[in-house]
Amino acid sequence: MKNLSRLAVVLTGLSLLTACNKNDDNQHGTYPVVVSNGVYLVCSGNSRSGIDGSLSYYDYTTKNSSIDIFSSNNGKSLGQTPNDAIRYGEKFYIVASGENKVFVTDAQTQRLIHTIDMEGLLGADEGANPRRITADGSNIYVSTYGGCVAAIDTVSYALQKKYKAGSYPEGIAVANGYLYVANSDYGNGNASISVINLATGIDSPVKHENIRNPQDIAVSGTAIYYLDYGQYGPAPDYAQQHAGVYVITGTSVAPVIPNATMMSAAGFYIYTINAPYGGDAVTYSVYNVADKTVRTVSPAGIESPAAIGIDPVSGYVMIASYKLNGGWADYAANGYVNVYDASLTNRKASYECGVGPQRFTSNISVEYVKY
């Protein structure tokens, strides 16, 4: 599953690198331990103001943070509108939508290893505007606004397979031999959730009146959870309506958190923020997929929430925020991140991040401990 978060994705990638050393390590009296050393945050910048995106990082042990670790290690920026990133094995992948590229770095040093040109890989139409990324087996999977998901080999960076999805695909997940895609249709009324057989490439899309503008997706068993932006009401306020987290079980599509505009999932929990356009109050909820209960929480110290993420190893919950300027969110200024425990009642740390905080991903790896 995607997994109710990305832990299974990360562990799969790590196993590709560590399995061959298992016998040798056991002979020397060691055992593998999954650790999380920190958290990355992809910041999209602000194209209107000519501000490039960046990659922020916070180290749990040293308590140090970097506003742009990619730039400081490579002498170049991520360019316009990076959207997503993932650590998979010993590599780190950053999706830069405005550049039509995926930057591949060394997960330890953040030095650039390779740049995947999505238009060169898929063509100018289908490779345009890469959006989200996940991984499984020997491939990374990247969705594009060209209506495709590309399966790309993690060693050769060659295209292994191209899957045709719906209109303007966003969030993706791989589970149970299927590729799940949130086809947003850019909110134009023809949205769907693709359920693509990885072996055959056949898509059996789910369409429903509750699927309006899906953005993120996670799979738990046979249940598909997706975040939907809903739709916008009439002028003059254009208030956001029907945004929330929904679940698909069989042919049923139903809301589980009726009011949500951001989500992050890990273990048995989906954390959400509801900060709708045209609304006043911001609310925070946690949904338990095991017992199907929802509880509200009230984390302190957030001015204007922009993104939420969960570290599945440490249990920390990260919330990024814009800074306020004259009572309004400043979209051209650096934001900040508060780090909380799983209850969202205890703030562990706070640090500055780049402009336009967008997506969190944890720095998870395997370390070998002597016994």
Side-chain angles (χ1 to χ4, degrees), residues 193 210-211 214 216-217 224-228 244-246 248 253:
I193 302 294
N210 285 336
I211 303 175
D216 283 333
I217 194 163
I224 306 167
Y225 295 88
Y226 68 93
L227 173 72
D228 201 297
V245 176
Y246 296 78
I248 302 172
V253 181

Side-chain angles (χ1 to χ4, degrees), residues 50-315:
I51 301 172
D52 282 354
S54 60
L55 182 68
S56 297
Y57 183 69
Y58 177 72
D59 188 295
Y60 294 149
T61 302
T62 66
K63 312 298 182 185
N64 293 328
S65 62
S66 170
I67 291 179
D68 192 352
I69 193 171
F70 179 88
S71 179
S72 63
N73 282 284
N74 295 288
K76 60 180 289 184
S77 81
L78 287 171
Q80 290 292 303
T81 325
N83 280 308
D84 202 3
I86 188 173
R87 175 171 177 166
Y88 193 56
E90 292 304 312
K91 293 178 182 178
F92 193 81
Y93 303 85
I94 308 164
V95 179
S97 181
E99 304 298 317
N100 299 318
K101 291 178 173 60
V102 176
F103 295 106
V104 186
T105 67
D106 181 281
Q108 301 294 332
T109 67
Q110 276 303 319
R111 296 298 300 269
L112 187 64
I113 298 172
H114 186 77
T115 300
I116 303 171
D117 180 353
M118 295 301 294
E119 288 187 325
L121 200 69
L122 295 172
D125 293 333
E126 293 181 326
N129 293 301
R131 300 295 295 174
R132 304 297 184 200
I133 186 169
T134 191
D136 185 64
S138 60
N139 295 328
I140 58 168
Y141 294 82
V142 182
S143 64
T144 76
Y145 268 178
C148 294
V149 176
I152 304 169
D153 185 81
T154 58
V155 176
S156 68
Y157 309 112
L159 180 67
Q160 299 303 295
K161 199 161 186 176
K162 178 178 68 177
Y163 297 95
K164 189 64 180 176
S167 175
Y168 291 94
E170 292 278 0
I172 53 178
V174 174
N176 312 316
Y178 287 87
L179 173 66
Y180 301 87
V181 188
N183 302 306
S184 71
D185 193 40
Y186 218 65
N188 291 320
N190 190 33
S192 65
I193 302 294
S194 282
V195 182
I196 303 172
N197 186 304
L198 285 170
T200 66
I202 296 174
D203 186 6
S204 302
V206 180
K207 292 193 173 186
H208 192 276
E209 61 181 5
N210 285 336
I211 303 175
R212 300 175 177 89
N213 190 357
Q215 297 291 315
D216 283 333
I217 194 163
V219 179
S220 178
T222 59
I224 306 167
Y225 295 88
Y226 68 93
L227 173 72
D228 201 297
Y229 277 180
Q231 54 199 178
Y232 297 91
D237 55 3
Y238 302 102
Q240 195 170 357
Q241 303 168 350
H242 307 298
V245 176
Y246 296 78
V247 63
I248 302 172
T249 50
T251 59
S252 171
V253 181
V256 292
I257 303 178
N259 300 298
T261 56
M262 305 171 218
M263 89 169 190
S264 184
F268 293 109
Y269 299 100
I270 301 175
Y271 286 72
T272 66
I273 300 173
N274 188 48
Y277 185 85
D280 295 323
V282 176
T283 57
Y284 303 81
S285 299
V286 182
Y287 177 74
N288 187 317
V289 301
D291 62 22
K292 298 178 173 53
T293 58
V294 181
R295 61 183 174 90
T296 58
V297 289
S298 301
I302 299 296
E303 294 172 271
S304 180
I308 186 168
I310 310 169
D311 187 317
V313 176
S314 69

Side-chain angles (χ1 to χ4, degrees), residues 14-15 17-26 29-35 365-371:
L14 292 169
S15 67
L17 296 170
T18 60
C20 60
N21 296 324
K22 182 176 180 181
N23 293 334
D24 290 340
D25 289 321
N26 286 341
T30 63
Y31 62 94
V33 176
V34 179
V35 298
S365 61
V366 168
E367 294 182 358
Y368 283 89
V369 177
K370 294 181 179 180
Y371 65 88

